[in-house]
Amino acid sequence: MATPHNKGNVNDFAKTVLMPGDPLRAQFIANTYLQNPKLVNSVRNMLAYTGTYKGKEVTVMGSGMGMPSIGIYSYELFKFYDVDQIIRIGSCGTYQENIQLFDIIIAQGASTDSNYASQYQLPGSFSALASYDLLQKAIDASKKRKANFHVGNILSSDIFYRADGDAWKKWQEMGILGVEMESYALYCNAAYLHKKALTILTVSDSLVNHQETTAEEREKSFTEMMEIALDLI
Ligand code: HPA
């Protein structure tokens, strides 16, 4: 069944989907790592490819930026495409002094400044957590690769250019490892639809010391995160 955002059929999609933010990154991953990648969606250029990795079927699809975008695509994958697990691979800014550029952050949980979870009308606030199963596998894979990795709570923010430039320090105080813009919605969708999700991030910038990575450096460091994600399928 097609949706307004996805022209693929149910059997075009694997049970596991890797989701980078950038659809061209999805294309790059498909061409670099997958055998027989087949384009299964191109609506709005949100490219999705299905192929095999070490004999296992996997789909790689862009999510776009922000919770509204990943909210749509991940909901449809879980609900209408029979997908069991989504592994987001992205970048983040770190809030902590002990975390270096290119380190890997595995998001055990996501906090947020978004009201995404208000739709569930819960009598309180919702703690958005990764699948424990995927989390454990990602930690094992990271240890095996001797990656510099951190596991904990991240912030999924609706705002990249925030008026109050010091607001992040309040999250830093609470031990938040870094900031990106998608995982809270992804984890909510997984919880609501009884599916699995995990986010693995590469640190691309630091709010603490204002260091940034170049596009070329990001490409290289991305490989480690990608290979950890592929170990999970
Ligand atoms: N803020 C939000 N999202 C991000 C950042 C950031 O500093 N870096 C990478 N993704």
Side-chain angles (χ1 to χ4, degrees):
M1 188 199 87
T3 74
H5 318 100
N6 194 330
K7 71 173 168 59
N9 295 310
V10 177
N11 54 14
D12 289 333
F13 282 77
K15 296 296 173 196
T16 299
V17 179
L18 303 188
M19 285 203 118
D22 178 355
L24 290 181
R25 182 71 81 177
Q27 184 180 59
F28 173 81
I29 293 164
N31 290 335
T32 308
Y33 291 98
L34 303 193
Q35 247 126 40
N36 304 315
K38 179 185 157 210
L39 181 69
V40 294
N41 184 55
S42 59
V43 177
R44 287 176 182 252
N45 287 322
M46 200 51 82
L47 306 174
Y49 293 85
T50 299
T52 57
Y53 178 78
K54 293 187 179 167
K56 290 184 198 155
E57 195 178 53
V58 63
T59 298
V60 190
M61 181 176 185
S63 70
M65 285 187 286
M67 287 179 266
S69 188
I70 199 168
I72 290 169
Y73 294 111
S74 63
Y75 187 95
E76 291 182 349
L77 290 171
F78 284 144
K79 179 85 178 174
F80 306 124
Y81 288 92
D82 269 353
V83 167
D84 292 335
Q85 49 189 19
I86 296 177
I87 301 159
R88 164 167 152 70
I89 41 180
S91 62
C92 71
T94 185
Y95 284 174
Q96 300 296 333
E97 214 159 344
N98 67 317
I99 298 180
Q100 312 302 321
L101 297 190
F102 309 117
D103 282 6
I104 283 175
I105 292 178
I106 304 172
Q108 180 180 13
S111 299
T112 196
D113 53 25
S114 142
N115 69 353
Y116 194 85
S118 66
Q119 61 179 309
Y120 308 120
Q121 300 189 299
L122 299 166
S125 58
F126 181 70
S127 298
L129 300 182
S131 148
Y132 184 76
D133 174 44
L134 290 177
L135 180 68
Q136 199 164 41
K137 285 183 181 153
I139 291 168
D140 289 346
S142 302
K143 279 185 183 161
K144 218 165 103 189
R145 291 182 176 277
K146 298 191 179 0
N148 292 324
F149 71 100
H150 310 263
V151 182
N153 204 352
I154 62 162
L155 175 68
S156 299
S157 179
D158 272 342
I159 300 168
F160 190 89
Y161 298 107
R162 181 174 288 279
D164 176 0
D166 285 333
W168 66 274
K169 291 178 182 166
K170 299 210 165 89
W171 292 108
Q172 177 191 50
E173 273 294 302
M174 294 299 286
I176 295 292
L177 302 180
V179 59
E180 47 87 271
M181 307 184 80
E182 292 82 16
S183 297
Y184 189 85
L186 173 63
Y187 288 4
C188 281
N189 283 350
Y192 184 69
L193 298 169
H194 304 169
K195 304 281 183 159
K196 292 190 200 176
L198 177 72
T199 291
I200 306 172
L201 302 164
T202 300
V203 176
S204 63
D205 53 276
S206 171
L207 282 280
V208 183
N209 58 24
H210 309 292
Q211 288 179 334
E212 283 177 12
T213 53
T214 65
E216 198 186 348
E217 288 172 331
R218 281 197 294 277
E219 180 97 356
K220 237 171 85 200
S221 64
F222 176 85
T223 306
E224 187 173 52
M225 169 176 66
M226 187 60 234
E227 291 178 0
I228 291 168
L230 285 166
D231 279 348
L232 310 187
I233 64 175

